[in-house]
Amino acid sequence: MNQRDDWHLTEALDYEHGRADPFAAAVRATRMPMVITDPSEPDNPIVFCNEAFQKLTGYDRDEIIGRNCRFLQGPDTSRDDVARVRTAVAAQADIAVDLLNYRKDGSTFWNALYLSPVRNDAGDVVFFFASQLDVTERVQAQITIAGEKTAVEREVEARTADLKAALEAKTLLLHEVDHRVKNNLTMIGSLLRLQARSIADPAITSKLETMLERVDALATVHRRLYQSEDVTRFDLGAFVENLVSDVVGASGRTDIAIETDVTPIEVPSSKAAALGLILNEITTNAIKHAFVDGRAGTITIRASLQGCDAVVEISDDGHGLASEQARPDGMGKTLIARLARQVTADVRWSDAVPGARVTVSFPVTD
């Protein structure tokens, strides 16, 4: 007796008593819905269904046998999933898919369908075996979770957009503040220069010019801050390079060359003003005292990151530390010391042979 005839015999089995083929009796008696289709007949109809399948779908056996499984499909059944099943049947391959199916009374359920070909000894497909499982609760839970996930994602997107807008507004405001501070400092500098022209005492004029240089340095800091895209960070490497060029240019000394070896050093913007003034004091001191009596020379700037610290070196090939004027004194010395404590910086003076070198090191984080 071939396999097909054996399956037809299951129609006469009394599964409650377990007579004849125990495997066939188990299929008929199991609580998992199962069907068998015959691909040799037109439209691959169902030739066997167990009682569990009848209970799941609400159809009687005589309403099921001889029909293709598509009779369980309805208007909301996914056409893509149906196409996947059709492709698997054509390829004589296994497939597992969740399908929205319809019962006889019109109610729906999610069917976890597993379809597999049954082959004879020659390897030919003689049946397709399909098991079903009602997974409506699981799928509905997934749909609910997906809906909640979508709602949360939309809320996150909305909050993110709000925060982004707030950050952009804050950035714009801070840029505007820095721009106005820079303009105000520039105006203050202009007023002080006008006043300086009317002062006959050279000592007072010199002190006033020194103060103006500090005002200009602060204006340069705020100019770079409002030009930066990130209001929280300040590129000290680019700043010190521009600062030295500006200070040398403002001094009128065309005989002082500048050499640079600078890498970007991002520091918190809260440290920008203090570090800017420190570097300004060091640079102006070098120009004023390293190259006196018309002596030409070179100022070299190096800036790099060494671990978690930034290191800025400003050196000259002038008179060196042997000159008492090589180091700042009075207001400049006090200013450097106080600002260094404010930003946890270490300022060291050493011989450069020739000239002098000032090394400023500080942590790049707050």
Side-chain angles (χ1 to χ4, degrees), residues 143-163:
I143 293 173
T144 300
I145 292 172
E148 293 175 350
K149 179 174 178 289
T150 300
V152 170
E153 288 175 346
R154 288 176 180 171
E155 182 66 20
V156 170
E157 289 177 0
R159 294 293 181 87
T160 301
D162 291 341
L163 290 174

Side-chain angles (χ1 to χ4, degrees), residues 192-304:
L192 290 175
R193 285 186 173 87
L194 287 174
Q195 185 66 43
R197 293 172 186 172
S198 65
I199 298 175
D201 189 333
I204 296 177
T205 302
S206 176
K207 292 182 180 298
L208 192 56
E209 287 294 338
T210 301
M211 189 60 65
L212 282 170
E213 291 167 357
R214 292 164 181 152
V215 172
D216 289 341
L218 285 174
T220 301
V221 169
H222 285 281
R223 185 183 76 234
R224 294 200 67 86
L225 282 173
Y226 81 71
Q227 291 175 342
S228 173
E229 292 183 0
D230 186 353
V231 296
T232 66
R233 309 297 293 175
F234 181 77
D235 186 354
L236 193 70
F239 169 78
V240 68
E241 189 173 13
N242 290 342
L243 174 69
V244 174
S245 297
D246 290 347
V247 172
V248 172
S251 71
R253 296 290 300 270
T254 58
D255 56 348
I256 299 177
I258 301 172
E259 294 182 356
T260 61
D261 181 11
V262 175
T263 58
I265 300 176
E266 297 287 337
V267 300
S269 57
S270 58
K271 294 185 176 183
L275 290 169
L277 283 175
I278 290 174
L279 297 173
N280 177 73
E281 292 298 316
I282 296 170
T283 304
T284 54
N285 185 75
I287 294 173
K288 289 178 180 179
H289 303 304
F291 308 110
V292 296
D293 302 326
R295 174 186 175 126
T298 302
I299 293 179
T300 303
I301 308 107
R302 292 185 175 87
S304 63

Side-chain angles (χ1 to χ4, degrees), residues 3-79:
Q3 187 176 20
R4 181 172 305 177
D5 292 337
D6 184 51
W7 275 109
H8 278 295
L9 283 178
T10 62
E11 294 297 317
L13 281 176
D14 183 354
Y15 62 83
E16 292 179 352
H17 297 88
R19 295 197 308 268
D21 185 354
F23 172 74
V27 169
R28 292 173 62 88
T30 181
R31 287 181 293 179
M32 174 174 286
M34 295 180 180
V35 300
I36 296 171
T37 67
D38 187 349
S40 67
E41 296 185 17
D43 205 24
N44 191 19
I46 298 172
V47 295
F48 170 81
C49 67
N50 65 359
E51 186 174 350
F53 182 82
Q54 299 172 52
K55 290 180 178 178
L56 173 65
T57 62
Y59 290 93
D60 292 331
R61 184 185 303 274
D62 57 1
E63 296 175 300
I64 298 171
I65 300 301
R67 303 178 69 179
N68 185 281
C69 293
R70 76 174 67 91
F71 79 93
L72 295 176
Q73 299 170 18
D76 291 330
T77 304
S78 169
R79 296 301 100 188

